[in-house]
Amino acid sequence: MERKLTVQPELFLVAVDGDRIIGSVMAGYDGHRGWLYYLASDPERRGAGIGRTLVAAAEQRLVAMGCPKVQLMVRPDNEAARGFYDALGYEPFQTWDTGKRLIPDV
């Protein structure tokens, strides 16, 4: 979270109910595509529309930045997340994901 707050902090959204955090999502835009990361909602309030609202707000902010498309990654065995994003109109496609850590987490 500390890193995100230094880069496009307007794309780090937190849902609150009073003084309690009930959800969050991080988004990013590189000038070509937007990305959604780490969507989470309070497990006791799943199904209440928190995730849907956070995704919609992130998408609106990305569109306002001129972002033409948004992507995200879901692990293949995460059926709940896959169903959630299917219901929001996200379409799966085949890619080869690879990465390299440049700065180790401590």
Side-chain angles (χ1 to χ4, degrees):
M1 290 187 296
E2 290 177 14
R3 285 185 200 141
K4 180 58 184 166
L5 292 174
T6 67
V7 179
Q8 297 177 325
E10 68 279 13
L11 295 178
F12 181 30
L13 309 177
V14 178
V16 296
D17 184 5
D19 61 354
R20 185 172 177 205
I21 294 173
I22 58 172
S24 64
V25 68
M26 286 192 234
Y29 178 47
D30 62 15
H32 177 67
R33 71 174 56 91
W35 285 89
L36 297 181
Y37 307 94
Y38 301 115
L39 174 66
S41 64
D42 183 338
E44 296 175 9
R45 299 183 62 169
R46 294 233 168 103
I50 297 165
R52 183 179 295 268
T53 300
L54 286 166
V55 168
E59 290 174 345
Q60 289 171 354
R61 289 183 184 206
L62 290 167
V63 167
M65 296 172 85
C67 179
K69 61 183 173 180
V70 64
Q71 292 180 200
L72 55 93
M73 292 181 280
V74 176
R75 289 185 175 88
D77 61 342
N78 191 339
E79 295 291 333
R82 290 173 56 190
F84 173 79
Y85 288 111
D86 284 342
L88 294 181
Y90 282 72
E91 300 175 10
F93 52 87
Q94 294 292 321
T95 63
W96 178 62
D97 295 298
T98 186
K100 177 182 178 182
R101 180 163 291 284
L102 298 175
I103 300 174
D105 283 334
V106 287

XYZ file of all heavy atoms in Angstrom:
828
model
N 0.815 -1.190 0.000
C 0.000 0.000 0.000
C 0.865 1.263 0.000
O 0.523 2.218 -0.680
C -0.948 0.002 1.194
C -2.047 -1.037 1.092
S -3.309 -0.950 2.382
C -2.373 -1.301 3.820
N 1.960 1.210 0.747
C 2.832 2.384 0.788
C 3.378 2.713 -0.596
O 3.446 3.877 -0.978
C 3.974 2.161 1.770
C 3.521 2.150 3.212
C 4.640 1.856 4.189
O 5.823 1.919 3.784
O 4.321 1.561 5.349
N 3.753 1.685 -1.354
C 4.257 1.929 -2.712
C 3.161 2.531 -3.589
O 3.412 3.448 -4.371
C 4.754 0.625 -3.333
C 6.066 0.162 -2.805
C 6.543 -1.063 -3.569
N 7.521 -1.773 -2.787
C 7.608 -3.081 -2.709
N 6.777 -3.846 -3.383
N 8.523 -3.650 -1.975
N 1.964 1.987 -3.504
C 0.873 2.470 -4.351
C 0.571 3.934 -4.067
O 0.245 4.698 -4.969
C -0.380 1.611 -4.168
C -1.549 2.065 -5.025
C -1.197 2.061 -6.502
C -2.300 2.589 -7.362
N -1.823 2.886 -8.721
N 0.674 4.330 -2.833
C 0.379 5.714 -2.482
C 1.396 6.700 -3.048
O 1.155 7.902 -3.041
C 0.259 5.860 -0.963
C -0.970 5.159 -0.379
C -0.930 5.226 1.141
C -2.269 5.738 -0.921
N 2.502 6.204 -3.598
C 3.486 7.077 -4.231
C 3.297 7.158 -5.743
O 3.917 8.001 -6.389
C 4.933 6.617 -3.928
O 5.171 5.364 -4.549
C 5.192 6.533 -2.432
N 2.472 6.283 -6.315
C 2.244 6.246 -7.764
C 0.743 6.126 -8.019
O 0.114 5.153 -7.606
C 2.977 5.046 -8.420
C 2.703 5.005 -9.913
C 4.467 5.089 -8.136
N 0.179 7.114 -8.671
C -1.256 7.135 -8.973
C -2.105 6.812 -7.734
O -2.942 5.906 -7.748
C -1.599 6.174 -10.114
C -0.949 6.525 -11.431
C -1.247 5.531 -12.536
O -1.368 4.332 -12.308
N -1.348 6.042 -13.748
N -1.939 7.565 -6.655
C -2.711 7.286 -5.447
C -4.216 7.418 -5.654
O -4.999 6.798 -4.929
C -2.191 8.308 -4.429
C -1.607 9.409 -5.256
C -1.075 8.734 -6.494
N -4.603 8.187 -6.673
C -6.039 8.327 -6.973
C -6.653 7.019 -7.477
O -7.880 6.889 -7.574
C -6.260 9.449 -7.991
C -5.742 9.175 -9.396
C -4.244 9.421 -9.599
O -3.488 9.584 -8.623
O -3.835 9.462 -10.775
N -5.805 6.034 -7.787
C -6.296 4.733 -8.234
C -6.196 3.674 -7.129
O -6.263 2.477 -7.398
C -5.534 4.274 -9.484
C -5.741 5.136 -10.724
C -4.901 4.614 -11.890
C -7.211 5.201 -11.112
N -6.074 4.107 -5.902
C -6.146 3.220 -4.736
C -7.426 3.591 -4.010
O -7.526 4.648 -3.391
C -4.920 3.412 -3.849
C -4.899 2.522 -2.622
C -5.503 1.273 -2.616
C -4.266 2.935 -1.477
C -5.467 0.466 -1.492
C -4.220 2.136 -0.343
C -4.822 0.902 -0.356
N -8.427 2.745 -4.133
C -9.750 3.037 -3.605
C -10.040 2.181 -2.379
O -9.768 0.974 -2.371
C -10.808 2.780 -4.676
C -10.546 3.463 -6.031
C -11.614 3.077 -7.033
C -10.484 4.962 -5.858
N -10.616 2.812 -1.375
C -10.948 2.125 -0.130
C -12.409 2.407 0.194
O -12.834 3.562 0.204
C -10.033 2.601 1.016
C -10.409 1.909 2.322
C -8.574 2.354 0.684
N -13.156 1.346 0.454
C -14.554 1.478 0.870
C -14.602 1.406 2.389
O -13.985 0.525 2.991
C -15.401 0.357 0.263
N -15.317 2.341 2.988
C -15.430 2.368 4.441
C -16.896 2.417 4.863
O -17.754 2.893 4.132
C -14.665 3.561 5.054
C -13.181 3.444 4.807
C -15.180 4.877 4.513
N -17.133 1.906 6.037
C -18.434 2.011 6.686
C -18.142 2.539 8.084
O -17.632 1.802 8.930
C -19.120 0.655 6.746
C -20.524 0.743 7.333
O -20.997 1.866 7.610
O -21.151 -0.313 7.526
N -18.383 3.821 8.281
C -17.974 4.456 9.525
C -16.467 4.504 9.591
O -15.813 5.023 8.695
N -15.893 3.911 10.625
C -14.439 3.890 10.748
C -13.851 2.530 10.378
O -12.693 2.257 10.647
C -14.011 4.280 12.165
C -14.540 3.328 13.226
O -15.329 2.422 12.898
O -14.159 3.498 14.400
N -14.646 1.693 9.732
C -14.208 0.341 9.381
C -13.968 0.217 7.875
O -14.820 0.596 7.068
C -15.285 -0.649 9.804
C -14.889 -2.074 9.596
C -15.906 -3.011 10.196
N -15.504 -4.380 9.912
C -16.325 -5.390 9.855
N -17.600 -5.219 10.107
N -15.882 -6.585 9.571
N -12.803 -0.320 7.492
C -12.515 -0.592 6.078
C -13.271 -1.858 5.698
O -13.165 -2.887 6.362
C -11.012 -0.774 5.843
C -10.288 0.547 6.104
C -10.740 -1.278 4.423
C -8.780 0.454 6.073
N -14.066 -1.780 4.623
C -14.850 -2.934 4.190
C -14.469 -3.416 2.796
O -14.986 -4.422 2.321
C -16.366 -2.649 4.264
C -16.744 -1.441 3.409
C -16.795 -2.449 5.716
C -18.239 -1.213 3.266
N -13.549 -2.716 2.144
C -13.105 -3.156 0.830
C -12.054 -2.226 0.265
O -11.900 -1.097 0.718
N -11.324 -2.745 -0.732
C -10.330 -1.917 -1.405
C -9.973 -2.529 -2.751
O -10.200 -3.714 -2.995
C -9.064 -1.765 -0.548
O -8.441 -3.016 -0.377
N -9.437 -1.699 -3.601
C -8.906 -2.141 -4.887
C -7.803 -1.172 -5.298
O -7.863 0.022 -4.991
C -10.000 -2.217 -5.986
C -10.530 -0.853 -6.365
C -9.492 -2.968 -7.211
N -6.779 -1.711 -5.955
C -5.732 -0.883 -6.547
C -5.865 -1.004 -8.053
O -6.159 -2.087 -8.563
C -4.351 -1.380 -6.134
C -3.980 -1.078 -4.730
S -2.216 -1.388 -4.488
C -2.296 -2.492 -3.102
N -5.661 0.108 -8.743
C -5.668 0.103 -10.201
C -4.434 0.849 -10.683
O -3.789 1.569 -9.911
C -6.940 0.766 -10.745
N -4.112 0.651 -11.933
C -2.991 1.352 -12.540
C -3.241 1.548 -14.023
O -4.021 0.821 -14.632
N -2.595 2.550 -14.587
C -2.720 2.828 -16.014
C -1.355 3.217 -16.553
O -0.701 4.118 -16.030
C -3.727 3.957 -16.247
C -3.906 4.357 -17.691
C -4.097 3.404 -18.685
C -3.896 5.684 -18.059
C -4.268 3.773 -20.011
C -4.074 6.067 -19.381
C -4.260 5.108 -20.353
O -4.428 5.477 -21.661
N -0.919 2.507 -17.579
C 0.412 2.740 -18.141
C 0.378 3.494 -19.469
O 1.388 3.595 -20.149
C 1.158 1.413 -18.306
C 0.473 0.440 -19.268
O -0.420 0.862 -20.035
O 0.833 -0.745 -19.253
N -0.778 3.999 -19.863
C -0.908 4.700 -21.135
C -1.387 3.801 -22.258
O -1.783 4.273 -23.321
N -1.386 2.506 -22.023
C -1.851 1.534 -23.017
C -3.050 0.748 -22.501
O -4.025 0.556 -23.203
C -0.715 0.577 -23.381
C -1.108 -0.503 -24.336
N -1.466 -0.254 -25.642
C -1.206 -1.837 -24.168
C -1.771 -1.398 -26.246
N -1.623 -2.374 -25.370
N -2.937 0.278 -21.264
C -4.058 -0.458 -20.664
C -4.055 -0.212 -19.168
O -3.045 0.124 -18.574
C -3.970 -1.947 -20.956
C -2.862 -2.676 -20.227
C -2.904 -4.183 -20.432
N -2.876 -4.591 -21.811
C -1.789 -4.870 -22.526
N -0.596 -4.773 -21.974
N -1.866 -5.252 -23.765
N -5.236 -0.406 -18.601
C -5.380 -0.327 -17.154
C -5.334 -1.719 -16.558
O -5.578 -2.720 -17.241
N -5.013 -1.760 -15.282
C -4.969 -3.018 -14.554
C -5.696 -2.862 -13.232
O -5.668 -1.795 -12.616
C -3.521 -3.415 -14.267
C -2.802 -3.925 -15.471
C -2.091 -3.181 -16.375
C -2.736 -5.270 -15.926
N -1.582 -4.000 -17.354
C -1.957 -5.291 -17.094
C -3.246 -6.474 -15.442
C -1.682 -6.451 -17.796
C -2.960 -7.637 -16.136
C -2.194 -7.618 -17.302
N -6.344 -3.929 -12.809
C -6.920 -3.992 -11.470
C -6.123 -4.988 -10.661
O -5.756 -6.060 -11.156
C -8.389 -4.445 -11.528
C -9.364 -3.540 -12.263
C -10.770 -4.124 -12.188
C -9.332 -2.128 -11.708
N -5.868 -4.636 -9.410
C -5.088 -5.475 -8.513
C -5.755 -5.528 -7.141
O -6.300 -4.526 -6.675
C -3.683 -4.896 -8.275
C -2.892 -4.575 -9.512
C -2.904 -3.295 -10.066
C -2.116 -5.547 -10.122
C -2.148 -3.000 -11.188
C -1.357 -5.253 -11.249
C -1.385 -3.980 -11.775
O -0.636 -3.691 -12.883
N -5.641 -6.659 -6.503
C -5.950 -6.799 -5.077
C -7.343 -6.329 -4.669
O -7.495 -5.682 -3.625
C -4.897 -6.077 -4.226
C -3.504 -6.577 -4.440
C -2.537 -5.741 -4.986
C -3.152 -7.878 -4.123
C -1.245 -6.192 -5.195
C -1.858 -8.338 -4.329
C -0.917 -7.494 -4.859
O 0.349 -7.939 -5.052
N -8.358 -6.650 -5.443
C -9.717 -6.347 -5.011
C -10.035 -7.203 -3.791
O -9.803 -8.416 -3.791
C -10.722 -6.655 -6.131
C -12.195 -6.503 -5.751
C -12.531 -5.043 -5.457
C -13.074 -7.049 -6.859
N -10.549 -6.581 -2.766
C -10.919 -7.311 -1.551
C -12.149 -6.673 -0.934
O -12.359 -5.461 -1.046
C -9.772 -7.275 -0.544
N -12.965 -7.496 -0.312
C -14.094 -6.981 0.457
C -14.223 -7.791 1.734
O -13.757 -8.932 1.815
C -15.393 -7.014 -0.353
O -15.758 -8.337 -0.666
N -14.851 -7.196 2.710
C -15.062 -7.844 3.999
C -15.817 -9.154 3.776
O -16.907 -9.149 3.204
C -15.874 -6.906 4.889
C -16.111 -7.423 6.279
O -16.045 -8.649 6.505
O -16.372 -6.590 7.161
N -15.250 -10.282 4.184
C -15.918 -11.569 3.957
C -17.331 -11.634 4.535
O -18.192 -12.300 3.978
C -15.006 -12.583 4.661
C -13.687 -11.925 4.752
C -13.952 -10.439 4.853
N -17.566 -10.916 5.614
C -18.900 -10.909 6.225
C -19.912 -10.119 5.402
O -21.116 -10.231 5.638
C -18.824 -10.344 7.639
C -18.002 -11.194 8.586
C -17.851 -10.555 9.949
O -18.525 -9.537 10.233
O -17.045 -11.074 10.740
N -19.432 -9.335 4.451
C -20.331 -8.494 3.647
C -20.277 -8.829 2.167
O -20.754 -8.056 1.339
C -19.984 -7.032 3.886
C -20.189 -6.715 5.387
C -19.969 -5.327 5.748
N -20.893 -4.431 5.091
C -21.023 -3.160 5.433
N -20.317 -2.662 6.406
N -21.847 -2.372 4.780
N -19.703 -9.976 1.828
C -19.659 -10.385 0.420
C -21.085 -10.536 -0.092
O -21.973 -10.984 0.615
C -18.895 -11.689 0.271
C -17.430 -11.487 0.622
C -16.495 -11.958 -0.442
N -15.139 -11.494 -0.173
C -14.184 -12.261 0.316
N -14.413 -13.521 0.566
N -12.988 -11.756 0.527
N -21.280 -10.141 -1.335
C -22.609 -10.183 -1.930
C -23.388 -8.894 -1.737
O -24.487 -8.749 -2.259
N -22.811 -7.941 -1.013
C -23.489 -6.670 -0.748
C -23.172 -5.608 -1.795
O -23.653 -4.486 -1.697
C -23.108 -6.156 0.645
N -22.350 -5.939 -2.806
C -22.045 -4.999 -3.875
C -20.805 -4.160 -3.649
O -20.510 -3.265 -4.440
N -20.047 -4.449 -2.598
C -18.841 -3.659 -2.317
C -17.820 -3.830 -3.441
O -17.305 -2.852 -3.983
C -18.234 -4.060 -0.959
C -19.220 -3.746 0.164
C -16.891 -3.359 -0.736
C -18.889 -4.422 1.484
N -17.515 -5.057 -3.807
C -16.556 -5.308 -4.883
C -17.008 -4.725 -6.201
O -16.226 -4.087 -6.920
N -18.281 -4.917 -6.514
C -18.843 -4.383 -7.761
C -18.703 -2.858 -7.796
O -18.320 -2.275 -8.813
C -20.312 -4.800 -7.859
C -21.008 -4.385 -9.125
C -22.450 -4.890 -9.116
N -22.490 -6.337 -9.138
C -22.556 -7.077 -10.251
N -22.581 -6.483 -11.425
N -22.606 -8.379 -10.182
N -18.984 -2.210 -6.688
C -18.891 -0.751 -6.608
C -17.451 -0.283 -6.752
O -17.171 0.692 -7.457
C -19.482 -0.254 -5.276
O -20.864 -0.655 -5.218
C -19.396 1.254 -5.147
N -16.522 -0.979 -6.101
C -15.106 -0.621 -6.215
C -14.597 -0.794 -7.643
O -13.872 0.069 -8.163
C -14.272 -1.445 -5.245
C -14.381 -1.045 -3.772
C -13.803 -2.136 -2.886
C -13.693 0.285 -3.530
N -14.965 -1.885 -8.293
C -14.532 -2.106 -9.677
C -15.105 -1.015 -10.577
O -14.385 -0.440 -11.407
C -14.924 -3.515 -10.174
C -14.730 -3.637 -11.683
C -14.118 -4.583 -9.449
N -16.379 -0.695 -10.415
C -17.001 0.351 -11.238
C -16.308 1.699 -11.025
O -16.049 2.432 -11.980
C -18.494 0.460 -10.926
N -15.982 2.018 -9.782
C -15.306 3.293 -9.498
C -13.905 3.311 -10.113
O -13.488 4.334 -10.675
C -15.238 3.518 -7.992
N -13.182 2.208 -10.014
C -11.852 2.134 -10.626
C -11.961 2.271 -12.142
O -11.174 3.003 -12.766
C -11.167 0.825 -10.246
N -12.922 1.582 -12.753
C -13.120 1.687 -14.202
C -13.441 3.119 -14.606
O -12.910 3.617 -15.607
C -14.249 0.762 -14.652
C -13.915 -0.703 -14.579
C -15.097 -1.607 -14.882
O -16.262 -1.137 -14.884
O -14.861 -2.799 -15.099
N -14.284 3.811 -13.844
C -14.629 5.204 -14.159
C -13.397 6.102 -14.103
O -13.207 6.957 -14.968
C -15.694 5.721 -13.199
C -17.055 5.107 -13.423
C -18.039 5.459 -12.325
O -17.696 6.080 -11.323
N -19.287 5.035 -12.504
N -12.562 5.893 -13.106
C -11.349 6.706 -12.997
C -10.390 6.412 -14.143
O -9.743 7.317 -14.671
C -10.671 6.489 -11.649
C -11.481 7.117 -10.528
C -10.818 6.988 -9.202
N -11.694 7.536 -8.174
C -11.264 8.026 -7.041
N -9.969 8.045 -6.770
N -12.115 8.488 -6.158
N -10.290 5.155 -14.536
C -9.431 4.793 -15.665
C -9.942 5.425 -16.959
O -9.158 5.979 -17.736
C -9.332 3.272 -15.798
C -8.529 2.572 -14.694
C -8.767 1.066 -14.743
C -7.050 2.896 -14.814
N -11.238 5.364 -17.198
C -11.820 5.980 -18.395
C -11.537 7.482 -18.406
O -11.170 8.051 -19.434
C -13.334 5.695 -18.485
C -14.007 6.578 -19.526
C -13.588 4.230 -18.798
N -11.664 8.126 -17.250
C -11.409 9.564 -17.166
C -9.955 9.904 -17.506
O -9.661 11.015 -17.953
C -11.748 10.078 -15.764
N -9.064 8.928 -17.341
C -7.648 9.117 -17.687
C -7.384 8.789 -19.157
O -6.256 8.893 -19.621
C -6.771 8.228 -16.802
C -6.840 8.584 -15.335
S -5.977 7.366 -14.295
C -4.308 8.007 -14.389
N -8.421 8.349 -19.904
C -8.264 7.989 -21.309
C -7.913 6.534 -21.524
O -7.513 6.144 -22.626
N -8.079 5.711 -20.522
C -7.733 4.290 -20.599
C -8.755 3.531 -21.445
O -9.936 3.501 -21.106
C -7.684 3.719 -19.183
S -7.298 1.978 -19.091
N -8.320 2.886 -22.542
C -9.261 2.219 -23.436
C -9.642 0.796 -23.035
O -10.650 0.275 -23.508
C -8.517 2.198 -24.777
C -7.074 2.130 -24.390
C -6.965 2.924 -23.114
N -8.846 0.148 -22.181
C -9.170 -1.229 -21.792
C -8.553 -1.511 -20.427
O -7.611 -0.840 -20.004
C -8.672 -2.237 -22.811
C -7.169 -2.250 -23.022
C -6.765 -3.239 -24.097
C -5.278 -3.122 -24.405
N -4.868 -4.065 -25.435
N -9.114 -2.499 -19.755
C -8.621 -2.865 -18.438
C -8.464 -4.376 -18.362
O -9.246 -5.116 -18.971
C -9.532 -2.335 -17.314
C -10.912 -2.951 -17.363
C -8.903 -2.543 -15.949
N -7.445 -4.810 -17.676
C -7.177 -6.234 -17.516
C -6.902 -6.536 -16.049
O -6.645 -5.635 -15.254
C -5.971 -6.644 -18.359
C -6.216 -6.568 -19.835
C -5.010 -6.967 -20.660
O -4.952 -6.606 -21.812
N -4.045 -7.677 -20.127
N -6.947 -7.805 -15.726
C -6.606 -8.268 -14.391
C -6.212 -9.726 -14.492
O -6.426 -10.370 -15.516
C -7.783 -8.093 -13.427
C -9.114 -8.733 -13.834
C -9.257 -10.121 -13.250
C -10.242 -7.849 -13.392
N -5.611 -10.214 -13.439
C -5.217 -11.619 -13.406
C -5.924 -12.296 -12.246
O -6.041 -11.720 -11.165
C -3.706 -11.750 -13.239
C -2.929 -11.263 -14.440
S -1.135 -11.445 -14.238
C -0.769 -10.024 -13.220
N -6.401 -13.513 -12.499
C -7.033 -14.337 -11.470
C -6.408 -15.717 -11.571
O -6.270 -16.264 -12.666
C -8.569 -14.439 -11.679
C -9.194 -15.378 -10.664
C -9.216 -13.068 -11.628
N -6.037 -16.264 -10.443
C -5.493 -17.626 -10.459
C -6.562 -18.586 -10.944
O -7.734 -18.456 -10.584
C -5.000 -18.000 -9.072
C -3.742 -17.245 -8.696
C -3.181 -17.705 -7.357
N -1.924 -17.042 -7.094
C -1.802 -15.866 -6.480
N -2.875 -15.221 -6.082
N -0.609 -15.333 -6.290
N -6.182 -19.566 -11.768
C -7.158 -20.480 -12.367
C -8.033 -21.218 -11.355
O -9.190 -21.497 -11.636
C -6.305 -21.475 -13.152
C -5.025 -20.768 -13.410
C -4.812 -19.837 -12.249
N -7.519 -21.488 -10.172
C -8.301 -22.235 -9.186
C -9.200 -21.347 -8.330
O -9.929 -21.838 -7.478
C -7.386 -23.074 -8.294
C -6.394 -22.234 -7.509
O -6.164 -21.065 -7.876
O -5.842 -22.753 -6.518
N -9.207 -20.039 -8.557
C -10.038 -19.125 -7.782
C -11.393 -18.969 -8.460
O -11.686 -17.978 -9.119
C -9.338 -17.778 -7.607
C -10.027 -16.890 -6.604
O -11.196 -17.062 -6.296
N -9.292 -15.923 -6.097
N -12.229 -19.984 -8.301
C -13.541 -20.022 -8.961
C -14.426 -18.854 -8.553
O -15.157 -18.303 -9.381
C -14.241 -21.346 -8.661
C -13.539 -22.570 -9.224
C -13.596 -22.636 -10.742
O -14.540 -22.087 -11.347
O -12.673 -23.235 -11.323
N -14.397 -18.457 -7.289
C -15.245 -17.359 -6.831
C -14.893 -16.064 -7.555
O -15.777 -15.346 -8.039
C -15.123 -17.190 -5.324
N -13.605 -15.764 -7.647
C -13.185 -14.539 -8.334
C -13.512 -14.614 -9.814
O -13.961 -13.634 -10.416
C -11.695 -14.296 -8.127
N -13.289 -15.772 -10.416
C -13.601 -15.913 -11.843
C -15.084 -15.676 -12.098
O -15.460 -14.974 -13.042
C -13.161 -17.281 -12.342
C -11.628 -17.384 -12.393
C -11.131 -18.756 -12.725
N -11.683 -19.227 -13.989
C -11.558 -20.469 -14.429
N -10.912 -21.366 -13.716
N -12.063 -20.817 -15.580
N -15.939 -16.236 -11.258
C -17.380 -16.014 -11.404
C -17.763 -14.562 -11.208
O -18.621 -14.025 -11.916
N -17.128 -13.908 -10.237
C -17.386 -12.494 -9.978
C -17.081 -11.656 -11.213
O -17.908 -10.856 -11.667
C -16.544 -12.026 -8.781
C -16.601 -10.551 -8.528
C -17.680 -9.985 -7.871
C -15.578 -9.716 -8.954
C -17.746 -8.627 -7.642
C -15.622 -8.351 -8.728
C -16.711 -7.798 -8.066
N -15.896 -11.832 -11.778
C -15.512 -11.030 -12.937
C -16.306 -11.422 -14.190
O -16.621 -10.553 -15.008
C -14.006 -11.102 -13.185
C -13.232 -10.326 -12.143
C -12.442 -10.977 -11.204
C -13.315 -8.942 -12.078
C -11.746 -10.262 -10.239
C -12.627 -8.220 -11.125
C -11.850 -8.884 -10.204
O -11.168 -8.167 -9.251
N -16.656 -12.680 -14.339
C -17.546 -13.083 -15.442
C -18.845 -12.293 -15.376
O -19.336 -11.792 -16.388
C -17.857 -14.580 -15.388
C -16.726 -15.457 -15.873
O -15.817 -14.948 -16.562
O -16.764 -16.666 -15.559
N -19.403 -12.176 -14.170
C -20.672 -11.461 -13.996
C -20.548 -9.975 -14.313
O -21.538 -9.332 -14.666
C -21.187 -11.648 -12.570
N -19.326 -9.435 -14.230
C -19.105 -8.025 -14.554
C -18.760 -7.805 -16.024
O -18.487 -6.687 -16.439
C -17.985 -7.450 -13.682
C -18.273 -7.364 -12.182
C -17.075 -6.751 -11.463
C -19.529 -6.572 -11.895
N -18.750 -8.884 -16.808
C -18.491 -8.753 -18.242
C -17.037 -8.915 -18.650
O -16.691 -8.654 -19.801
N -16.189 -9.322 -17.727
C -14.783 -9.573 -18.073
C -14.692 -10.906 -18.805
O -15.374 -11.862 -18.440
C -13.902 -9.583 -16.820
C -13.608 -8.195 -16.319
C -14.587 -7.430 -15.694
C -12.357 -7.625 -16.493
C -14.332 -6.144 -15.249
C -12.085 -6.336 -16.048
C -13.082 -5.610 -15.433
O -12.813 -4.337 -15.006
N -13.882 -10.932 -19.846
C -13.751 -12.126 -20.677
C -12.368 -12.722 -20.519
O -11.362 -12.011 -20.626
C -13.990 -11.766 -22.144
C -15.369 -11.184 -22.395
C -15.537 -10.733 -23.830
O -14.675 -11.039 -24.688
O -16.527 -10.041 -24.095
N -12.294 -14.019 -20.282
C -10.975 -14.641 -20.161
C -10.274 -14.736 -21.515
O -10.921 -14.814 -22.552
C -11.287 -16.042 -19.622
C -12.687 -16.306 -20.024
C -13.379 -14.969 -20.091
N -8.955 -14.675 -21.485
C -8.162 -14.903 -22.685
C -6.863 -15.562 -22.266
O -6.456 -15.497 -21.113
C -7.926 -13.625 -23.493
C -7.367 -12.470 -22.711
C -6.007 -12.319 -22.533
C -8.218 -11.523 -22.164
C -5.495 -11.257 -21.828
C -7.702 -10.453 -21.449
C -6.349 -10.316 -21.278
N -6.237 -16.198 -23.219
C -5.019 -16.940 -22.942
C -3.798 -16.028 -23.062
O -3.634 -15.327 -24.057
C -4.872 -18.106 -23.940
C -5.934 -19.164 -23.793
C -5.803 -19.919 -22.480
O -4.709 -20.218 -22.030
N -6.935 -20.205 -21.863
N -2.972 -16.038 -22.037
C -1.696 -15.337 -22.080
C -0.673 -16.187 -21.348
O -1.019 -17.126 -20.638
C -1.750 -13.957 -21.388
O -2.045 -14.153 -20.000
C -2.769 -13.045 -22.025
N 0.551 -15.851 -21.506
C 1.613 -16.463 -20.728
C 2.097 -15.389 -19.773
O 2.638 -14.364 -20.181
C 2.743 -16.922 -21.651
C 3.890 -17.527 -20.909
C 3.866 -18.651 -20.137
C 5.220 -17.039 -20.860
N 5.100 -18.898 -19.619
C 5.967 -17.919 -20.049
C 5.870 -15.955 -21.417
C 7.317 -17.744 -19.782
C 7.218 -15.780 -21.155
C 7.923 -16.674 -20.344
N 1.837 -15.568 -18.503
C 2.234 -14.592 -17.506
C 3.643 -14.903 -17.022
O 3.970 -16.051 -16.742
C 1.277 -14.626 -16.305
C -0.124 -14.206 -16.694
O -0.286 -13.061 -17.116
O -1.025 -15.036 -16.579
N 4.418 -13.889 -16.930
C 5.767 -14.029 -16.406
C 6.118 -12.756 -15.662
O 5.473 -11.717 -15.857
C 6.767 -14.312 -17.547
O 8.041 -14.589 -16.995
C 6.854 -13.171 -18.531
N 7.069 -12.825 -14.813
C 7.440 -11.644 -14.059
C 8.792 -11.795 -13.414
O 9.385 -12.893 -13.406
N 9.274 -10.701 -12.885
C 10.554 -10.683 -12.210
C 10.504 -9.638 -11.114
O 10.125 -8.481 -11.359
C 11.650 -10.316 -13.228
C 13.023 -10.189 -12.651
C 14.002 -9.780 -13.763
C 15.392 -9.576 -13.231
N 16.307 -9.128 -14.303
N 10.826 -10.030 -9.907
C 10.848 -9.075 -8.794
C 12.111 -8.242 -8.904
O 13.217 -8.776 -9.015
C 10.809 -9.805 -7.462
C 10.832 -8.833 -6.301
C 10.392 -9.437 -5.011
N 9.000 -9.780 -4.959
C 7.995 -8.911 -4.794
N 8.251 -7.616 -4.693
N 6.756 -9.320 -4.732
N 11.955 -6.926 -8.882
C 13.082 -5.998 -8.973
C 13.525 -5.508 -7.596
O 14.687 -5.199 -7.390
C 12.722 -4.804 -9.844
C 12.376 -5.146 -11.297
C 11.915 -3.905 -12.034
C 13.543 -5.785 -12.000
N 12.584 -5.383 -6.681
C 12.870 -4.943 -5.317
C 12.264 -5.972 -4.383
O 11.041 -6.154 -4.378
C 12.277 -3.553 -5.038
C 12.863 -2.518 -6.001
C 12.519 -3.156 -3.588
C 12.234 -1.149 -5.913
N 13.068 -6.647 -3.588
C 12.517 -7.661 -2.682
C 11.648 -7.037 -1.597
O 11.947 -5.952 -1.116
C 13.738 -8.338 -2.073
C 14.942 -7.650 -2.614
C 14.512 -6.565 -3.525
N 10.583 -7.735 -1.253
C 9.775 -7.317 -0.096
C 10.532 -7.690 1.158
O 11.232 -8.706 1.199
C 8.418 -8.029 -0.104
C 7.474 -7.415 -1.119
O 7.632 -6.225 -1.442
O 6.570 -8.125 -1.573
N 10.406 -6.864 2.161
C 11.085 -7.170 3.431
C 10.100 -7.598 4.479
O 8.958 -7.369 4.422
C 11.915 -5.979 3.956
C 13.146 -5.800 3.126
C 11.088 -4.721 3.985
